[in-house]
Amino acid sequence: MTTFLRPGQQAAAAFGLAFDVDRDASGAAPAAVFNKNERLAISDQRQRLPIYAHRTELLYLVETHATTVVVGETGSGKTTQIPQYLHEAGWTQGDKMIACTQPRRVAAMTVATRVAEEMGCRLGQQVGYSIRFEDVSTPEVTKVRFCTDGVLLREMMSDPLLLKYSVVMVDEAHERSLATDVLLGLLKKIQRRRPDLRVIISSATIEAEKMARFFDTSNVRRPRGHAEVTQEGAAPSRSPALMSVEGRTHNVQIHYLEAAVDNYLQVAVETSVAIHKEDLPGDILIFLTGQDECEAGKLVKLLEEEGRRLQRSRLKWRLQPMALYAGLPAPHQLAAFDAAPRGVRKVVVSTNIAETSVTLEGIVYVIDSCFAKQRCYNPLTGLESLLIAPISKASAQQRAGRAGRVRPGHCLRLCTEADYEEKLPATTVPEMQRSDLAGTVLQLKSLGIDNVMTFEWLAPPPAETMIRALETLHALGALDGDVRLARPIGLQMAELPLDPVLARMLLAAGEMGCTAEALTVVAMLSVQSIWAGGGRREVDEAKARFAVAEGDLVSYLNVWRAWEESKRSKKWAVANHVMHRSLLRAADIRSQLQAHLRRLGFKQASALEGATSFDHDQELDTVRKALAAGMFINAARLTEETQVKLADQSDTGAAIYRLVRSAGGDAAAVKLRIHHSSVLFRCRPAWVCFYAAEQNDTGWYEMRDVLAIESGWLTELAGHVYRMVPLNPQMRR
DNA sequence: CGGATAGGG
């Protein structure tokens, strides 16, 4: 029997499932209905936000403390109001600006738009934003600037002390994105040199104490020569201030399963149907782990079937399931945001894109699988894994909160309360501790931080990861023998807004006279999958039209050329199952990088253009070598083994590869195969390089974006990493 | 036999 609370009711409805009411759920008083104030004048609206009552306190704390940590719950108004308060209080006088960083581009844009409206100015005047490819601000005029944390990091390369700014507010710091963590570490460092700078960190409760402790330097002696007293008077306290602002959300009742289940998809469907049959109106949001679970014949399909069955039973309300994930084409994504028509209950089946990146209105029920795919990095193999893992309690709370935006809601967690308490970690491991840090280390080095091992991190990454990053950068030629930034290569690589492997490819192409081709490949590797979803057969057929034996990277050149020949036509893209959106973004990236290369003094050249078919192979080899000059880091060799045939599965015949580098240890044990999405799947080139390999749930490492190479190129291009060894007769093929 | 999510003057 299910016990399942309805709003304002103790009685339980009978469902076929066993949900246990969490009696400890916070019983906060119901808050005022959000956005009731829509028609009020803007100044009245601003004064009704919870943060308004804390305005004086906040300004006092910022005045007197180098760092202020603000815990502002959803709906408190912190993001839009704090920058305005600071502006009104005079923090933007004397040519100084206020920066407010966001982890996502859309957030920077939308918040800036809202604040410009509140301040009664045109966007890009007093209030602006800056994200990659789009700087909507005016020098000398813009006072409040919203930007992504990545943009502010880039800005530090030309303005290391952020002298343009009097205050930097880091919003959503609890999300602990890689860029946020790096920024926080650098801000702490800057504070030593700039006692006048104020840092405001906005964070959820759970991370607030940690942030405050990190920025507390009250016990640290200032370096000699740095006065404790600034020209304006007493320096601010070096103990951070902490401030909390209540939010405006509704109570969300939490429910757990009474017994663990093994098929949470089935349970999610049954729960949706149960809610639908028995409960009050309100849309449902289901959190699952991936695209395939959300769509491909799984949950949405099951729900559709159930919906039809319900309709036959003459239920007044209709059930309308729809998938939501990042890879979904924009028009389909928008469908999830449309309000359901009368008599229709929306069931949005989503990946964790709906946890932080987008907000859906009208959700009253959240069904949470309590799982998500998580990226991890293994510094010993230098490869990443994408594994399904339990989410953290912090994530689960965030997901639950999605049910309380319009009125009191419910969150049904598809695990037992005991499992929730025992198996879910309190917080998610910060990205900093599960990523490849080669790019981050290079950026820090270029900012003059030579000893990255002693850099003060909010969460120190594993030492092995740092060592691996230094090794990678050294192999790529970005660092010299003393692990110092190599000039000019290291500096040039840091300048390029790219992964170090891709940056090295571009520089090599500059030397080898094929920047045109390398720019195309690098741009296309920088966007998420070029290929459109939909029928796999169609996509495979489309792919086959561009496929060449040299691999995916060279195939991308074919796609690009055909798209260019069609005059960048959208019709062409649709007909060829290529995502037009991705190509347009690749085109943006390509021209940005082209400008960078030009500034670095590289001559633009194409190896293939004008090449006759007679010398084509040779010219193509030049391009492949330039690409391999970065990708040699990830080289793999075909072995004689093939994938073992399993009893209940047909033999896929996938060939097994092994990493070429590091003859011993973990790297040598790694078995790789070519990912199904590669044009080289089923092909067996003896030597390959790959841009990315991921371990999947079955334990296999699968190589994506593969380039076939000649074995001799490794020693030719990276003699400092690879050397010729006599062939072992047993290994040869 | 198949890609969670963000991000870069």
Side-chain angles (χ1 to χ4, degrees):
Chain A
M1 274 305 203
T2 310
T3 42
F4 179 72
L5 266 197
R6 294 183 186 187
Q9 234 184 296
Q10 280 299 311
F15 297 140
L17 294 158
F19 275 101
D20 190 15
V21 176
D22 170 20
R23 285 168 195 86
D24 298 331
S26 74
V33 177
F34 192 65
N35 231 3
K36 198 180 185 177
N37 311 326
E38 204 150 32
R39 298 201 179 162
L40 291 176
I42 280 177
S43 65
D44 281 346
Q45 274 191 47
R46 288 187 60 197
Q47 289 173 20
R48 274 162 205 254
L49 288 166
I51 188 134
Y52 183 71
H54 302 266
R55 186 180 187 276
T56 314
E57 183 195 355
L58 175 88
L59 288 173
Y60 172 77
L61 292 178
V62 172
E63 182 75 43
T64 51
H65 295 76
T67 310
T68 305
V69 179
V70 179
V71 177
E73 289 164 29
T74 315
S76 63
K78 60 177 166 33
T79 310
T80 57
Q81 301 308 300
I82 292 177
Q84 290 186 72
Y85 296 166
L86 295 167
H87 174 59
E88 291 157 6
W91 284 95
T92 50
Q93 281 167 14
D95 294 341
K96 294 283 188 201
M97 287 200 286
I98 294 160
C100 179
T101 71
Q102 298 291 325
R104 278 168 293 280
R105 303 155 54 94
V106 266
M109 289 165 65
T110 53
V111 176
T113 307
R114 173 68 193 168
V115 172
E117 199 179 300
E118 289 188 10
M119 282 174 56
C121 68
R122 268 200 10 241
L123 188 60
Q125 297 295 301
Q126 279 79 17
V127 182
Y129 69 86
S130 184
I131 59 179
R132 191 179 190 183
F133 304 129
E134 240 182 296
D135 182 6
V136 185
S137 63
T138 315
E140 323 265 299
V141 175
T142 301
K143 291 295 171 187
V144 178
R145 178 192 240 173
F146 292 88
C147 60
T148 51
D149 33 28
V151 163
L152 198 66
L153 277 180
R154 281 277 144 192
E155 213 171 299
M156 291 180 76
M157 291 179 70
S158 58
D159 181 9
L161 292 179
L162 292 172
L163 291 167
K164 282 208 234 19
Y165 303 100
S166 58
V167 186
V168 174
M169 172 169 169
V170 182
D171 208 2
E172 314 285 359
H174 58 272
E175 286 187 23
R176 307 294 306 273
S177 74
L178 191 55
T180 299
D181 267 25
V182 176
L183 184 61
L184 291 174
L186 287 167
L187 283 172
K188 180 175 179 181
K189 218 173 153 64
I190 292 178
Q191 279 183 324
R192 291 161 62 96
R193 307 267 305 270
R194 279 200 58 194
D196 59 316
L197 178 74
R198 297 297 192 276
V199 174
I200 299 176
I201 292 156
S202 132
S203 163
T205 321
I206 190 148
E207 299 278 343
E209 280 283 343
K210 193 184 296 161
M211 302 280 174
R213 247 180 287 128
F214 179 69
F215 277 93
D216 192 343
T217 55
S218 52
N219 295 324
V220 182
R221 283 237 317 268
R222 284 216 181 276
R224 226 185 301 185
H226 287 268
E228 285 292 333
V229 174
T230 60
Q231 285 170 341
E232 295 99 79
S237 164
R238 290 190 275 145
S239 297
L242 243 162
M243 194 181 97
S244 295
V245 186
E246 69 281 9
R248 273 193 185 166
T249 51
H250 302 275
N251 194 26
V252 175
Q253 180 94 47
I254 311 288
H255 311 261
Y256 296 95
L257 290 176
E258 276 179 356
V261 293
D262 36 303
N263 186 352
Y264 63 73
L265 292 182
Q266 187 58 36
V267 179
V269 172
E270 287 165 13
T271 307
S272 310
V273 171
I275 291 169
H276 187 53
K277 273 185 182 161
E278 304 288 336
D279 218 18
L280 296 169
D283 295 337
I284 302 173
L285 171 61
I286 306 179
F287 282 105
L288 299 178
T289 64
Q291 176 178 325
D292 60 326
E293 268 183 4
C294 294
E295 190 192 33
K298 284 197 174 167
L299 211 86
V300 163
K301 218 169 185 177
L302 285 172
L303 277 167
E304 276 168 354
E305 276 165 27
E306 287 295 336
R308 275 194 293 276
R309 198 171 305 154
L310 284 171
Q311 244 179 335
R312 281 198 296 274
S313 67
R314 286 179 303 169
L315 197 75
K316 267 192 298 187
W317 284 68
R318 215 153 55 73
L319 203 60
Q320 182 162 44
M322 48 191 85
L324 178 64
Y325 48 86
L328 200 65
H332 291 90
Q333 261 189 19
L334 286 175
F337 292 93
D338 286 343
R342 272 185 81 82
V344 173
R345 189 200 299 269
K346 227 166 51 170
V347 185
V348 179
V349 187
S350 173
T351 61
N352 52 8
I353 187 174
E355 187 180 312
T356 50
S357 305
V358 301
T359 305
L360 297 158
E361 296 302 328
I363 300 295
V364 176
Y365 303 93
V366 162
I367 300 175
D368 187 0
S369 67
C370 292
F371 283 100
K373 285 196 186 175
Q374 270 214 341
R375 191 178 285 286
C376 327
Y377 176 67
N378 181 345
L380 301 178
T381 61
L383 300 175
E384 287 179 328
S385 312
L386 201 56
L387 302 173
I388 293 174
I391 59 170
S392 65
K393 292 195 180 81
S395 270
Q397 271 167 31
Q398 173 76 17
R399 287 178 172 190
R402 296 301 183 169
R405 292 190 64 88
V406 284
R407 55 189 168 92
H410 293 268
C411 173
L412 304 98
R413 296 193 177 133
L414 302 183
C415 63
T416 64
E417 190 169 4
D419 280 349
Y420 178 83
E421 291 301 335
E422 289 159 27
K423 294 187 183 163
L424 269 58
T427 54
T428 310
V429 176
E431 240 181 353
M432 172 65 69
Q433 295 180 330
R434 46 189 178 89
S435 311
D436 176 4
L437 294 180
T440 301
V441 169
L442 182 61
Q443 208 171 354
L444 288 177
K445 289 261 182 192
S446 79
L447 285 171
I449 293 157
D450 254 334
N451 193 344
V452 287
M453 302 301 278
T454 59
F455 186 73
E456 281 188 79
W457 306 96
L458 193 49
E464 292 86 350
T465 303
M466 298 299 286
I467 291 162
R468 161 68 65 184
L470 294 171
E471 277 174 3
T472 303
L473 291 171
H474 181 255
L476 289 170
L479 301 180
D480 63 21
D482 299 326
V483 209
R484 283 245 161 86
L485 201 64
R487 282 154 215 267
I489 289 187
L491 264 179
Q492 292 173 329
M493 280 171 65
E495 190 106 335
L496 295 166
L498 283 173
D499 175 302
V501 167
L502 299 183
R504 189 67 188 88
M505 274 162 58
L506 274 194
L507 297 186
E511 287 153 20
M512 296 160 108
C514 55
T515 53
E517 289 79 14
L519 278 166
T520 300
V521 171
V522 165
M524 287 177 79
L525 287 176
S526 301
V527 297
Q528 272 174 347
S529 177
I530 290 291
W531 305 105
R536 284 185 181 171
R537 255 231 332 257
E538 287 90 358
V539 177
D540 285 348
E541 280 169 13
K543 220 180 272 184
R545 285 201 284 279
F546 305 101
V548 287
E550 289 81 7
D552 300 290
L553 280 69
V554 180
S555 303
Y556 288 151
L557 286 176
N558 287 337
V559 174
W560 181 264
R561 189 162 40 191
W563 185 57
E564 289 281 32
E565 276 166 11
S566 82
K567 302 221 162 31
R568 302 192 172 183
S569 130
K570 186 172 180 179
K571 246 168 97 180
W572 179 91
V574 173
N576 288 283
H577 296 277
V578 167
M579 285 216 270
H580 196 239
R581 205 174 31 149
S582 302
L583 287 179
L584 288 173
R585 184 159 171 87
D588 275 345
I589 293 174
R590 193 180 187 281
S591 45
Q592 188 190 35
L593 295 173
Q594 193 167 31
H596 274 287
L597 279 189
R598 211 175 292 136
R599 228 198 26 234
L600 290 174
F602 285 100
K603 252 204 339 241
Q604 311 286 305
S606 165
L608 296 181
E609 209 162 285
T612 66
S613 58
F614 179 71
D615 59 8
H616 189 268
D617 278 355
Q618 200 189 329
E619 310 301 337
L620 188 56
D621 276 1
T622 306
V623 175
R624 289 165 68 198
K625 274 189 194 176
L627 302 179
M631 300 236 296
F632 70 82
I633 290 287
N634 287 323
R637 181 178 51 81
L638 184 69
T639 66
E640 285 189 327
E641 314 151 75
T642 49
Q643 187 181 341
V644 186
K645 186 173 174 173
L646 298 174
D648 56 343
Q649 268 178 8
S650 59
D651 188 353
T652 61
I656 297 177
Y657 286 79
R658 285 183 188 274
L659 286 180
V660 181
R661 67 173 142 77
S662 319
D666 295 59
V670 173
K671 287 183 180 179
L672 304 119
R673 61 185 188 194
I674 296 177
H675 192 277
H676 188 93
S677 64
S678 168
V679 299
L680 293 183
F681 183 72
R682 289 197 196 291
C683 300
R684 298 180 174 197
W687 298 81
V688 296
C689 288
F690 55 90
Y691 178 54
E694 262 167 12
Q695 188 182 33
N696 61 22
D697 324 318
T698 62
W700 276 96
Y701 284 94
E702 294 184 319
M703 303 179 276
R704 265 187 244 208
D705 296 317
V706 182
L707 173 76
I709 58 157
E710 308 288 334
S711 65
W713 295 359
L714 291 179
T715 46
E716 182 187 331
L717 294 162
H720 54 302
V721 178
Y722 300 109
R723 61 197 164 79
M724 284 290 194
V725 288
L727 262 187
N728 175 343
Q730 284 174 340
M731 303 254 294
R732 98 192 260 177
R733 45 170 305 116

